[in-house]
Amino acid sequence: MTVETGTEAQQTPPQQSSLATVAARNLASTTKSAPQMQEITSRWLLRMLPWVETKGGTYRVNRRLSYTVGDGRIEFVQDGARVRVIPRELGELALLRDFEDEAVLGAIADRCVQRDFRPGEVLVERGNAAEAIHLIAHGRVSQTSLGKYGDDAVVAVLADGDRFGENALLDADAQWDYTATAETAGTLLTLSRADFNEVIATAPDLQEHLRRFGSLSLKNQNKHGEAEIAMSAGHTGEPSLPGTFVDYELNPREYELSVAQTVLRIHTRVSDLYNGPHNQTEEQLRLTIEALRERQEHELVNNPEFGLLHNADFKQRIQSHDGQPTPDDMDELLCRRRGTKFFFAHPRAIAAFGRELNARGLYPDHVDVGGQSVPAWRGVPVLPCNKIPITKENTTSIIAMRTGEDNQGVVGLRQTGLPEEFEPGLSVRFMGINEQAIMSYLVTTYYSAAILVPDALGVLENVQIARRID
């Protein structure tokens, strides 16, 4: 029926003739999904690492005796605009390794002179006398030398914690065989040979330490610093053959299994009454284990004791030449080891590398890994790992590794056969029901990672992932 009101007509709502859907839902069963979780990632690192059974909870890495010392990075402290080197950090210099007289180290640190530099400033010039060591507190420095065909060639790119000119402290005839140029503004500390000699003159213990260092450097060793194995080749007749043996490190590194644990609590009323259509205990346990595995992968990357980023050999760490992850940088990272099996990078770093490929008109390969097509460079899979940190300056790292015990690579460590084992290396133990009727389950996983030889793992550091402004 239409009711006229002035010039407007209003339609009376039709009367309901069937059951509404809102009321009907009271009699219907709702279809429910299992609990979802955003934290779950692909966890390629956990999937690709070969896992070694570690009985006794400890894994010892035996290596051939090595004479290489003092190849770490140096740390500094900042007080306003003033930067000072931490005296004990001077032990990272080869000639001061294992020297523990803090008073002498403090005297050497006090003689380091701060120097601030600007982008493009030449810090040392090839052919000039080398009379000091330079410790880079902050900034990037490129080293260039004269190539075979008369053009300049980049020798290396150095960054925070690196140094150059270490041989200048003991060699009065040392010369710079490269030119060091600042790529960014920064700060370095300089220790001259004259100041170092003044400290030596007043420190008998340091004099004896340097004599031992000189005798160590004269020992026969290969290019990796390992004790040489004497042999003869290409001879004729019946010469006396050299005798030899393979010496081992007296104090090999041992990796103890780390642990990640949590206590899962579930009220008995929940598990008794609300188990359909999904089992509450199973779903709670599933999501807890997912979170525990995520933490496990984070620790394998970032743990100071055994994490890959902290334990990569300093000789296997390189700097990007212009900040962006270019194909040239990936090639340099790749060539530093035989049989590189995987690259691992933050997804944003992979995107930055893709932009660099696009800018050069290149297209990455794709390879099959576990039935999934993933991008690759030179046939090596580039796998995402969001556990690799990104700094506030929008820089990150890219990891390259060789894996497996047979290849002297990187291996994961775990122990299976645990009491009440739920997954390999992970156990779920019922802890009882308390007076509040709450059940408790102890969820535990044990793990670690070991780098069998230094060149098994390499890191491209300070990779800029912010988009370049053209």
Side-chain angles (χ1 to χ4, degrees):
M1 181 179 74
T2 301
V3 180
E4 298 289 342
T5 304
T7 58
E8 297 180 356
Q10 295 183 349
Q11 185 71 36
T12 301
Q15 202 161 16
Q16 182 177 335
S17 59
S18 65
L19 181 66
T21 56
V22 175
R25 287 184 59 187
N26 291 329
L27 299 182
S29 295
T30 302
T31 302
K32 308 171 188 67
S33 75
Q36 307 299 304
M37 181 174 171
Q38 293 189 71
E39 188 182 7
I40 299 174
T41 65
S42 55
R43 297 198 293 267
W44 279 106
L45 180 60
L46 292 187
R47 292 161 59 186
M48 295 298 106
L49 271 183
W51 292 92
V52 174
E53 185 68 21
T54 309
K55 295 299 182 183
T58 303
Y59 184 84
R60 179 180 297 158
V61 179
N62 290 306
R63 291 178 178 172
R64 185 170 155 191
L65 179 63
S66 175
Y67 295 126
T68 55
V69 294
D71 53 3
R73 290 232 170 110
I74 296 175
E75 294 184 5
F76 304 82
V77 292
Q78 187 173 0
D79 182 10
R82 187 183 176 208
V83 177
R84 294 178 292 110
V85 62
I86 301 172
R88 293 188 68 83
E89 288 294 308
L90 292 172
E92 296 295 344
L93 302 179
L95 72 169
L96 293 177
R97 186 63 177 254
D98 296 329
F99 183 72
E100 298 180 352
D101 191 326
E102 293 194 20
V104 176
L105 293 175
I108 297 173
D110 290 340
R111 292 177 180 267
C112 293
V113 179
Q114 180 175 337
R115 174 181 175 183
D116 297 322
F117 52 82
R118 307 179 308 276
E121 182 177 347
V122 176
L123 304 177
V124 302
E125 195 162 353
R126 183 174 58 87
N128 291 347
E131 299 177 342
I133 183 175
H134 302 282
L135 315 176
I136 303 174
H138 178 66
R140 285 168 56 92
V141 175
S142 65
Q143 295 176 339
T144 58
S145 185
L146 189 65
K148 180 178 180 179
Y149 301 102
D151 54 344
D152 289 335
V154 177
V155 177
V157 178
L158 308 179
D160 304 9
D162 287 325
R163 75 271 188 178
F164 57 97
E166 190 169 346
N167 62 326
L169 293 181
L170 297 180
D171 185 1
D173 299 323
Q175 288 186 330
W176 299 112
D177 54 4
Y178 49 79
T179 297
T181 306
E183 290 191 350
T184 65
T187 301
L188 57 77
L189 298 182
T190 298
L191 175 64
S192 68
R193 186 191 309 127
D195 286 337
F196 187 62
N197 286 337
E198 288 182 7
V199 177
I200 294 175
T202 60
D205 290 345
L206 181 56
Q207 297 173 19
E208 177 61 26
H209 176 84
L210 293 177
R211 276 194 291 271
R212 291 198 303 270
F213 171 76
S215 64
L216 178 65
S217 62
L218 294 176
K219 290 188 177 182
N220 292 330
Q221 52 189 278
N222 60 21
K223 65 178 181 179
H224 303 291
E226 297 171 327
E228 185 178 18
I229 299 176
M231 62 185 64
S232 178
H235 52 274
T236 59
E238 299 179 352
S240 297
L241 298 179
T244 190
F245 67 97
V246 181
D247 207 353
Y248 303 133
E249 287 185 353
L250 296 179
N251 298 299
R253 178 168 180 180
E254 293 184 346
Y255 294 85
E256 292 186 0
L257 292 184
S258 184
V259 62
Q261 290 179 308
T262 189
V263 176
L264 174 63
R265 295 185 174 94
I266 305 172
H267 200 289
T268 53
R269 181 172 55 189
V270 172
S271 63
D272 290 344
L273 303 180
Y274 302 97
N275 265 349
H278 298 287
N279 185 292
Q280 294 284 358
T281 303
E282 291 180 359
E283 295 300 329
Q284 288 279 304
L285 185 59
R286 177 179 65 85
L287 296 182
T288 300
I289 290 175
E290 293 282 1
L292 209 59
R293 292 301 193 193
E294 293 291 333
R295 182 55 182 266
Q296 177 183 351
E297 187 174 68
H298 177 275
E299 292 292 302
L300 290 176
V301 173
N302 297 289
N303 188 283
E305 296 297 324
F306 58 84
L308 301 180
L309 288 180
H310 291 276
N311 286 271
D313 190 88
F314 286 100
K315 291 182 179 179
Q316 296 296 326
R317 301 172 187 241
I318 62 175
Q319 304 295 320
S320 174
H321 281 81
D322 65 355
Q324 301 292 328
T326 66
D328 295 337
D329 295 322
M330 297 292 277
D331 283 341
E332 185 171 353
L333 184 61
L334 185 65
C335 76
R336 287 179 172 248
R337 70 202 43 77
R338 60 177 174 81
T340 301
K341 192 72 173 178
F342 303 107
F343 290 110
F344 288 96
H346 193 280
R348 292 181 61 189
I350 297 176
F353 179 55
R355 290 195 296 270
E356 293 300 312
L357 292 177
N358 292 339
R360 289 162 172 77
L362 301 175
Y363 189 77
D365 302 328
H366 279 77
V367 297
D368 182 88
V369 178
Q372 185 172 344
S373 180
V374 298
W377 180 248
R378 307 294 189 192
V380 179
V382 183
L383 301 177
C385 179
N386 69 340
K387 311 307 186 301
I388 299 176
I390 295 177
T391 68
K392 61 182 180 181
E393 293 87 9
N394 274 319
T395 61
T396 184
S397 301
I398 296 177
I399 297 173
M401 68 170 68
R402 181 176 66 246
T403 59
E405 277 189 309
D406 293 340
N407 291 325
Q408 300 183 106
V410 180
V411 296
L413 307 177
R414 70 183 180 192
Q415 185 177 136
T416 59
L418 301 172
E420 300 181 58
E421 189 171 62
F422 189 81
E423 294 179 356
L426 184 146
S427 67
V428 179
R429 295 185 182 183
F430 179 63
M431 299 174 63
I433 303 175
N434 66 12
E435 294 179 353
Q436 286 78 38
I438 296 177
M439 299 184 297
S440 297
Y441 295 87
L442 176 63
V443 187
T444 305
T445 182
Y446 299 98
Y447 56 87
S448 187
I451 303 169
L452 300 188
V453 294
D455 74 348
L457 180 74
V459 181
L460 178 63
E461 296 184 317
N462 297 315
V463 174
Q464 180 70 42
I465 59 175
R467 190 179 297 272
R468 192 198 302 268
I469 299 178
D470 296 327

